[in-house]
Amino acid sequence: LWQVGGMTYQNGHTKDAKTAYSFELGENSTTLTVENLIGLMYVSDYYYAAEPEFWTLMGYDNTKQDVSINKSIDYRGAIWNNWLWEGDTEWTITPKTAYQTGGAFLVHLLGHVGTTDVAPVQVAVRPCFYLNSNVTYASGTGSSSDSFRIN
């Protein structure tokens, strides 16, 4: 099950990892779910894929545009420390809510989190899935010639 209740622009864009998680999957989440095996990452997945020192930063601070200034202000400074950042703009599964319907959150190619309307925009997707906690690694390096094997 994927929880897809979403969150407001402010809670996902200008807040930290803990706030995003709270609205996507935690105590402030909705019960709206979709039963699909494959989905997209949550905003909080992206946030928590960075080193812990970045978890208290906001997704994007639009008050300063110089990335070198923002290294300690928002997630643009975390790109080299976030294993989910790939240098492309890509969708998350998290929709905008309330008065902001018709859009979803995305990870921008510069590393920050943003939102946009879904229909007119061509943005990359990265399918993802979640494993049960009893699944264990068996072998493989994850390459095309030596795929991961799980138990």
Side-chain angles (χ1 to χ4, degrees), residues 11-60:
N11 287 325
H13 187 67
T14 62
K15 303 290 185 192
D16 61 11
K18 183 177 180 181
T19 302
Y21 180 86
S22 170
F23 281 92
E24 291 173 315
L25 301 164
E27 69 264 7
N28 293 311
S29 65
T30 69
T31 58
L32 183 59
T33 60
V34 175
E35 290 190 44
N36 290 330
L37 297 176
I38 305 295
L40 302 173
M41 72 175 156
Y42 290 101
V43 170
S44 58
D45 289 335
Y46 176 70
Y47 284 160
Y48 283 124
E51 295 292 325
E53 67 194 72
F54 295 98
W55 295 353
T56 58
L57 301 180
M58 64 177 63
Y60 181 64

Side-chain angles (χ1 to χ4, degrees), residues 41-120:
M41 72 175 156
Y42 290 101
V43 170
S44 58
D45 289 335
Y46 176 70
Y47 284 160
Y48 283 124
E51 295 292 325
E53 67 194 72
F54 295 98
W55 295 353
T56 58
L57 301 180
M58 64 177 63
Y60 181 64
D61 179 358
N62 65 359
T63 63
K64 296 183 178 81
Q65 297 301 314
D66 183 352
V67 175
S68 63
I69 293 171
N70 285 336
K71 283 193 173 195
S72 63
I73 295 173
D74 68 27
Y75 264 75
R76 289 175 286 178
I79 58 175
W80 305 117
N81 296 291
N82 188 321
W83 66 270
L84 281 176
W85 182 77
E86 290 192 343
D88 199 1
T89 301
E90 63 183 277
W91 290 116
T92 71
I93 199 168
T94 309
K96 291 190 290 183
T97 59
Y99 63 91
Q100 303 162 329
T101 59
F105 285 87
L106 50 77
V107 173
H108 192 273
L109 64 93
L110 295 177
H112 64 275
V113 172
T115 58
T116 192
D117 291 335
V118 175

Side-chain angles (χ1 to χ4, degrees), residues 135-141 148-151:
V135 173
T136 59
Y137 168 81
S139 65
T141 62
F148 287 124
R149 303 273 189 247
I150 57 176
N151 294 320

